[in-house]
Amino acid sequence: MSYFGYLQDLSLLQSDCLLPHLNVEKALISHTPPEPSPCSPELSPDTLEAMMLLDQNAILYEASKADEKAESTTSITPRFAPPTSSPLPFEERVGFWISQTENIPPSTFSSPLLPPTLTPLARKSVNINKMSLPIVEQPRSPPASITNSSFAAPPPLARLSHNGRPSTMSQLTVAAAVVASRVTNAVMPDQAHPNTTSDEQLNINSSTINQQASLPTQHLVTATALATRTNEEVIADLKRDAHAPAGPVNKSTLDGEDDDANDDGYRSLGDDDEYDGTQPAGRPKKISERKRRLHAIAQNHLEALLRNPVKQPKVKPEDEQFQSARWLVNQSENRKIITSPREYQVELFERAKQKNIIAVLDTGSGKTLIAVLLLRHTFAQELEDRAVGKPKRISFFLVDSVTLVYQQHAVLKANLDQPMDLFCGDMGVSLWKRKKWEEIFDKNMVIACTAEVLRQCLHHSFISIDQINLLIFDEAHHAKKDHAYARIIKDFYAQAPSTSPLPKIFGMTASPVDAKTDVRKAAAELEAILHCEIATAADPSVFQFQLTSKQEVLATYSNLGPQFVTPLFKQMESKFKKNKILSKPLAFAREAARELGEWCADQIWTFCLSEDELKKLLVKTETKYYANAAKVQKPIEIMEQQKASLVEAQNIVKSHTFALPDFNPRSATSKNLSSKVRLLVSYLRERFERPTEDKCIVFVKQRYTARILAELFSHSNIKTPHLFVGVLVGTRTGVVGGDNTSLRTQIVTMAKFRGGELNCLFATSVAEEGLDIPDCNLIVRFDLYDTLIQYIQSRGRARHANSRYVHMCEAGNQEHVQMLREVRLKEGILKEFCTALPEDRKMYGNDIDMDHFLAKERTHRVFKHPATGAILNYKVSLTVLANYVDSLPSTAAQESLRAEYVHTVHNKQFLCEVILPEESPIRGAVGRPASTKQIAKCSAAFETCLLLIKGKYLNERLLPKESKAPPAMRNALLAVDSKKEAYDMKTKPSLWSLGGIPGELFVTILSLENPESLDRLSQPLALLTRSKLPELPSFVLHFGKGKYSPIQIKTANHPIQATLSMVNQVNAFTLCIFDDVFSKGYEPDISKMPYFLAPVHPNLDLGQNPFDLIAWDLLKDIEEYQVTWQDKGWEKIKPWLTEPDEFFEDKFIIDPFDGSRKLWCRGVTREYKPLDPVPPNTAPRKGTRKRNDNIMEYSCSLWDKARQRRKLDENQRVFNAELVSLRRNLLDEFNDQEDETPKKCYVTLETLKVSPLPTTVVAMAYLFPAVIRRLESYLIALEACDLLHLKIRPDLALEAVTKDSDNSGDHDAVKINFQRGMGNNYERLEFLGDCFLKMATSISLYGIHPDNDEYRYHVDRMLLICNKNLCNNAVKLKLYEYIRSQQFNRRAWYPEGLTLIKGKTATAPNTHKLGDKSIADVCEALIGAALETCYESKEMDNAVRAVTEIVSSENHNVTSYADYYQLYKKPKWQTAPCTEMQRDLARQVEMQHPYHFKWPRLLRSAFVHPSYPFSYEHIPSYQRLEFLGDSLLDMACVNYLFHAYPGKDPQWLTEHKMAMVSNAFLGCLCVSLGFHTHLLVFNSTFQKQITTYVAEIEEARRQAEDDAIRAGKTRAEYSSDYWVSVRNPPKSLPDIVEAYIGALFVDSEYNYSEVEKFFDDHIKWYFTDMSIYDSYANKHPTTFLSNLLSINMGCEYWTILTKEIKNVDGSKPTIFSMVIIHDQVVADGRAESSRYSKVAAAKKAMDLLEGLPLPEFREKYCCTCKPGDVVGVDTTELHGTAI
């Protein structure tokens, strides 16, 4: 068929549509010819004609904005990072913090200040000197006595006292306290807080700034390893190289990257460091032409970004004259300040509190929000009235339809916390008695009902008008004639006595006109009936920016042709035209033939005369007959004849052959469908060709049409696999075949549409008005509207991104043209009417002419900058502030940022509050009282500008400072170095360095718990030390073949008083073990021996005298043997000849000539002779000295020359022996492969030696290397704890400093260079310590800086917990020396400092290579170990001290947990008197969680959204409490996971913690606790999102409960993960859960057990089975992008490329990712790892592409991909689906 302009611009109707008197140069819809497409794909014959846009100018503008956003780059902020971005680069703000602030004397103001007129509380809001600023005092120079050495690491704490023993900790602490107190007194700032008067508020000078920096000092740590630093010193240290001057002694830079390095300075588990473009060495890259082109495109885009790194300002002054105040004033004359809908909502709300109004606002602009706020305000007044004994009154929310009752009740329930109910006529309320109604009115605060319900109650006097405090009329335009709305007012409100208290009235409508009538007359009548005034925005179009940009298009179908009838219709009409029951189907079929086509016209009969419908018609016929029979008697035959007629009609339909709908998709032609239907089919098939998230509503006038179209699109040749249609019509009954939809069916249909089961609804007018239908991006007016309000309301449904509103019109149809013209004309008249309203009934918002009001204000203030003379006055402050907000960084997904102004009235004067976007570090200010709203607004802007000047966010010319880098780039400064350094490493504990002849020895017994597992008899050994060892834990030794035993380490309480002879004996025994067992001979210098060994009696009892534990007889025997050996020697004694056979049983044999050869001698054998061949299966000899000629030669290890000189006895005895395994690392579990080789052998002893050591001692001695290695590691780890003044369990201390691979900390990576047998590494403790560090610093900052905003909290906390700060401090302390990074080395365990006289030199390495992140990780692990040490006692003092030692900052300077609360000073807003509403809130919340709040206003703060004006309740928003509660909740969740799953690695813990603290779960928890009803929010979008989410999460829970019932469980046993499948909630819901936890914590005086109780009561049960959340963390934005492009759009020619950019400051490189579609860069993102940069780019791309129609996507990106397209490109670097 031939289309007459498939989709046209409406302005093309200008010539025959616009009224004659209108100026044609100003068309109602302007039109600009479209620019040529950047690519022009050749159109195929079946391609539909190009869609022409309604307003090309607007579209081009939006496109340019989209292009601008697509070219901009932002970085992903890690989860711990501040959610906002500062407009200043980090270096400039640091410079501000540490520089001397300029003085701005009061003389710079050209006029005196106005006298203060505020109340004390309000004055505090305005007093800028007391408001929180990111300013700290300039650091003072330390006194001469304090040098840099005060920051160096102190010497080890194990110092000697006068008797040679270490001093006790208490002695050392006292000494350190004196030094620390001197340092503290020298460097701490003053605490002066002089009071300032209101006249001094503009004196922004350095003294004021310094006063803000003073901190409480009464709880300073008395002795820390590092001197406490001020915030400026912390920042200065972070800017310096971490390794200079306090770096490692032996530092060398390694080649290559450090696998330990994290991607940024934040604590982030599971970060992926790999750069996706790298390939293994030696593997050649396959670079195709396609890839080269993509890289060239990416490089060009990147270079363009680098040339223009920030968004260019709209006006960029180039010289001095344009940077002056004069330039700003000139700009303010012609610049329109961007307005916010919230301002109009605030004004309408304020007006509604004072008088009766009808709010006329566009659909979706927040009328219901105003109603909710008004109800909340009414509740507060009602509670106060009831408290003083006034009679109860109730509010009514009246609607026009049953469906809206349920919908609006759901909205109220989701947003209000007072009792409420709903009623409608279908509930049988007309039969209820007075007592029941009185009970209902008594227990509820508000009732949502149809107007008729209230009307009947008033008529029956169940309630009187004076018992109602508020009447809300939804869709108030219905109040006319005898409508229930009008009757309530006329019969009861207007007739009430003048002395009777009347309710407030609030009406809501998108248009006061709902019929073809005069707009002005209808509006005036509506005002008169409802006793209200219409109030609206001065320019209603300002609300359109809140709705996403939508385009209206005109779809024109060819002329329908003349009227005709189908053969089936002729047959039906000829027989049944007099049948009244079938009259409506007949009339519809007649019109439908021309309008819809033959197939559609005939389909009416298939459902009008179906079996079910026929039964209803027959019953209806009988009912009607008997009803009329009472009036007029008629023969029964007439009834039977009518019934027979219906049966006959059904038979005709059954016998008729219905053709299938005919449609040719290529030519878009059909034999039985009209051009109108064909156009709709073409459009929907094109739109839903592929999987899509689109939602569409097709509006029709009649139910029949809706049903027929739904039936049409169910046929396979019409529908697409991705189009799922449904029908939404009213609940009216009585229409033949009219699909008498029930209310439940309506609700289910909307739920399916909302959930995506349906994506296209054929709807009647029921979908236009009121119903909560999800935002759609396609609205099709299949049948045009009849009235203006139908057009406005249906257009309001197109609220989704990239939405389209399609008018379907018939070519040449003047009625359609007239309707298009009429609705636009009437909309213009309506706007003119609103514009002509009196000034007091128009809400101006920001669109105000200031000059008139400022001319009367002669005393307003002026600020003159002392440096440049730039002038800031009331008027220009609006522009300055708007310019500043415009300079803030924003993402492509955000609308333009704007300042918002909220007006309130106090003492008949206006107060205005400015609320800046979250991206601003300064969140706003409250102005001074003024006589007009305009002046109050200027005052608020002026005060905010002063704060920006004070914070140096505006420069000396009042221009915003450029923000060259978003937050993530600033974080690069805090990231640790990615390279490894060589650091010194302690090899032995300081305890071993205590030399000299000992006067006493402490006995530590080393024994096996399961000695039988050794397969050889053993006896314990005693380790004798000069100082008592701490209590050390047991650990496991592994002996192969699955055998193991814990080793017990027990130290006697009292030492042995040692004599010189005793010491000589134990020294000789120790040296004998080293010589015989380990082939190391040392000089017998007692003073150098670090420790001694001694045998222990087998039957030991630690309770006995330590002296009696030692086997002194054995020591004496060995001492004598050593003397004999030295005097005579083995060869002279010749025991192999002289000793009896029994002597050699169970002896330890050593080879003097081969130290690696040790044997267990079993005894003499007579089976072999020395010259016999070596028996088979003998343990083989290895090395160059192996000789296997015979047994005697096999036994000799002499070198060849020495052997030739030696004559051996050929008749000596042969001994049966067993080779001793040389395995030393018994700390590691192993499968000993040596067991496969024979151990048995036969030897002669002439060239060997029998050791005097008993085999039981030797067996234990072989375990000693592993034991002493682990014991020394314990001691070194404890030294690290002593360095930090921490008492940590030895096992946890060692775990905290153990790094067992090159990439410890990369929890999801394969271990590189894994060191076996080191025990647990630091990863789990680091996970725990990281969380406690976050919580501890959050608590401290909250107490020290109670007035800081959330942004400042995040920045200050980041400075404390970032890896760079932790690493810097650890380097100063030389903490790297204590890190254990090397596994057991059999050559490195020997004691140091002894002179070796025999054996190979064995030296342990004393350096190791560490990445900075590893050092920072160890710091966090030590915090975790300090916390875990006190887990049983639940004390946190140890961990608090650890944080103080490690962060070394005045922002965390406490020694015990109790000190935190002493830092907190209750703010005035918390202790101010509370209202009845606030007390009621506390009562309600206490019912959900059994905690009684002492401070209800603190609890109220947890539910105040940032959008809610401060001036309403003078309570700050929940952001501060949310900051605190977030860290507390994290700690509770981590603590639970850490102890409930002790075997899980940090990667698993992190992924499953994500589920516990996710927004999805916390939103679910919020709703289950009912917290969402308490939220004070002033944003209609948030309100709608909350209502929708509440409905979905409650439905998900109901389904889970039903599933439990079906599974044979109780309803309470439903699956706890029901929330996973529900969409993410509005961010405010999880925020208030965290804020509540913060409020609970503060109100309980920092009682952490209350947080744990909340976790146990409400969170823990969801996560008793964590396996159901194993895959929760696998969702990823790039996955969603891949599905959108590959599945929804069918595009296979896309990729995500990454590029690395080196930073000039030497910090970690930045990774850029770019989404490229058909050679066009669509979006980009930057971060410090490829993972996060791709996430950023994917999110931006999703924001741009989601909801875009498939045809427009293909046209915009020249996409011609076909299913199955495969692009032959190497995929090693490209991350698209196909490329």
Side-chain angles (χ1 to χ4, degrees), residues 411-431:
V411 173
L412 300 183
K413 186 178 178 182
N415 293 278
L416 295 172
D417 56 6
Q418 294 297 323
M420 64 188 69
D421 214 333
L422 63 89
F423 302 102
C424 58
D426 293 350
M427 299 168 66
V429 296
S430 59
L431 301 177

Side-chain angles (χ1 to χ4, degrees), residues 394 396 441 457-458 461-468 492 500:
I394 190 172
F396 280 87
F441 297 147
C457 286
L458 289 168
S461 195
F462 295 152
I463 192 173
S464 61
I465 199 71
D466 61 348
Q467 292 176 291
I468 303 173
F492 303 101
S500 177

Side-chain angles (χ1 to χ4, degrees), residues 98-116:
I98 64 175
S99 65
Q100 178 66 35
T101 308
E102 297 180 69
N103 288 324
I104 308 178
S107 59
T108 57
F109 300 96
S110 60
S111 65
L113 300 178
L114 294 175

Side-chain angles (χ1 to χ4, degrees), residues 377-447:
H377 170 74
T378 304
F379 294 161
Q381 286 185 327
E382 178 65 18
L383 289 174
E384 295 290 344
D385 291 344
R386 292 182 184 182
V388 297
K390 292 185 179 181
K392 291 183 178 179
R393 301 174 78 193
I394 190 172
S395 303
F396 280 87
F397 195 114
L398 304 179
V399 297
D400 183 50
S401 67
V402 174
T403 307
L404 288 176
V405 171
Y406 289 89
Q407 177 183 303
Q408 296 294 22
H409 178 264
V411 173
L412 300 183
K413 186 178 178 182
N415 293 278
L416 295 172
D417 56 6
Q418 294 297 323
M420 64 188 69
D421 214 333
L422 63 89
F423 302 102
C424 58
D426 293 350
M427 299 168 66
V429 296
S430 59
L431 301 177
W432 292 355
K433 306 300 182 184
R434 178 182 179 86
K435 184 177 180 180
K436 184 174 181 65
W437 280 113
E438 288 177 347
E439 291 175 357
I440 292 171
F441 297 147
D442 186 64
K443 69 180 182 181
N444 291 296
M445 291 285 279
V446 61
I447 288 176

